[in-house]
Amino acid sequence: MANAILFISYKLKKGSSVQEFLDATEKLNTEVVSKKKGYVSWQQLKDGDTWADVLTFETVDDAKEFERSGGDGNPLADKFYSFISFPSCTTRYYTVERNY
């Protein structure tokens, strides 16, 4: 079965500390996200002021369930989301057709 990618691009709120954001991301990943069903990995990309999270899950259903949970009110998720400019967010799902 092919893996699924949850691809989210966004900008940080003006004045956000990049280091604090990265620290919040690492803590959220270690303590919450990596324990979700079907989790494989999380990469963060940056191009100028645009960021992208590339989360890999075993299935599209796992990825969608993860997104629906939205952090479930977890304080670590709330901290991570406090850096995000939500109007700038876009979300896409992809299936991995081939790995080389």
Side-chain angles (χ1 to χ4, degrees), residues 52-87:
D53 291 347
V54 180
L55 291 103
T56 304
F57 288 87
E58 291 177 1
T59 69
V60 171
D61 288 341
D62 291 339
K64 288 182 177 182
E65 180 55 35
F66 166 76
E67 187 184 26
R68 273 191 294 274
S69 72
D72 297 326
N74 183 295
L76 296 175
D78 292 344
K79 177 73 174 173
F80 170 80
Y81 292 137
S82 74
F83 292 95
I84 306 294
S85 171
F86 282 97

Side-chain angles (χ1 to χ4, degrees), residues 1 3-4 15 27-28 34 38 42 47-48 54 58 62 68 84 87:
M1 179 179 286
N3 289 89
K27 192 163 180 109
L28 177 62
S34 65
W42 182 356
D47 180 21
V54 180
E58 291 177 1
D62 291 339
R68 273 191 294 274
I84 306 294

